[in-house]
């Protein structure tokens, strides 16, 4: 996950939420919560976003105090990194292609929200296009003959 900090009138900053173990301990102690709780709530909890962004900033600014990083609530957002987008989109596309009447259009519709949650929107749009255009080999079109052993018993 990527935490995007967009201060009004300032430069947008991105913080990778992937932390070192020592940083997870610092984050948990700072907000008096467990790291698994912080990590699992990153996409919805502004305090979780704030503490992770603060810990990442401390790598370059060791003297930065937690109270000194207090963004407005609408200045923080979470986006998915490229790997997370790929895994999520592939799972959605795989499920969409399993639908009985799956088409490129229906799969594209199922994936339309993926670029909105991606940090790299262009990459996500290209991925959505490629996943929606090519039906996976393991999901043949309805009525398409499959290759494999014959279902008729041998004499």
């Amino acid at each position: 996950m990527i935490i995007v900090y967009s201060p009004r009138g300032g430069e947008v900053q991105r913080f990778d939420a992937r932390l070192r173990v020592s940083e997870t301990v610092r984050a948990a102690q700072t907000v008096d919560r467990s790291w698994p709780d912080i990590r699992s709530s990153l996409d919805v909890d502004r305090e979780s976003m704030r503490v992770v962004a603060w810990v990442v900033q401390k790598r370059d600014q060791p003297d930065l105090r937690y109270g000194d990083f207090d963004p407005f609530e609408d200045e923080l957002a979470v986006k998915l990194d490229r790997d997370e987008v790929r895994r999520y989109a592939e799972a959605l596309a795989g499920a969409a292609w399993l639908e009985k009447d799956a088409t490129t259009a229906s799969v594209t519709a199922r994936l339309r929200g993926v670029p909105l949650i991606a940090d790299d929107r262009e990459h996500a749009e290209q991925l959505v296009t490629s996943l929606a255009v090519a039906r996976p080999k393991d999901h043949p079109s309805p009525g398409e003959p499959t290759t494999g052993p014959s279902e008729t018993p041998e004499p």
Side-chain angles (χ1 to χ4, degrees):
M1 285 190 170
I2 305 294
I3 299 169
V4 181
Y5 172 43
S6 305
R8 290 185 190 162
E11 184 177 329
V12 174
Q13 298 174 51
R14 287 174 164 69
F15 306 104
D16 190 334
R18 188 167 176 247
L19 301 181
R20 295 179 183 100
V21 172
S22 60
E23 293 171 327
T24 66
V25 171
R26 174 176 275 166
Q29 289 173 342
T30 299
V31 293
D32 196 26
R33 292 170 49 199
S34 70
W35 172 246
D37 179 46
I38 294 167
R39 178 77 172 131
S40 68
S41 64
L42 264 175
D43 58 339
V44 294
D45 180 54
R46 299 286 190 246
E47 191 67 19
S48 294
M49 292 179 214
R50 175 187 176 203
V51 74
V52 170
W54 170 73
V55 167
V56 172
Q57 287 183 82
K58 284 189 70 66
R59 293 174 184 165
D60 296 325
Q61 303 172 49
D63 296 331
L64 181 65
R65 294 181 357 204
Y66 186 60
D68 293 339
F69 179 67
D70 193 11
F72 288 98
E73 60 88 24
D74 64 344
E75 294 177 338
L76 292 174
V78 172
K79 299 288 185 174
L80 299 183
D81 66 29
R82 284 176 160 221
D83 289 336
E84 292 165 326
V85 166
R86 182 186 45 75
R87 287 191 304 268
Y88 180 61
E90 286 175 351
L92 279 178
W97 279 117
L98 288 175
E99 297 292 326
K100 180 181 175 189
D101 298 325
T103 64
T104 297
S106 68
V107 174
T108 300
R110 185 73 107 27
L111 296 172
R112 74 176 169 263
V114 172
L116 301 175
I117 60 174
D119 186 49
D120 185 342
R121 190 174 183 143
E122 184 177 324
H123 167 261
E125 288 169 350
Q126 291 170 356
L127 184 62
V128 164
T129 299
S130 68
L131 290 171
V133 170
R135 178 181 292 274
K137 290 180 175 112
D138 57 342
H139 301 308
S141 298
E144 182 178 306
T146 58
T147 58
S150 172
E151 292 186 21
T152 56
E154 291 197 25

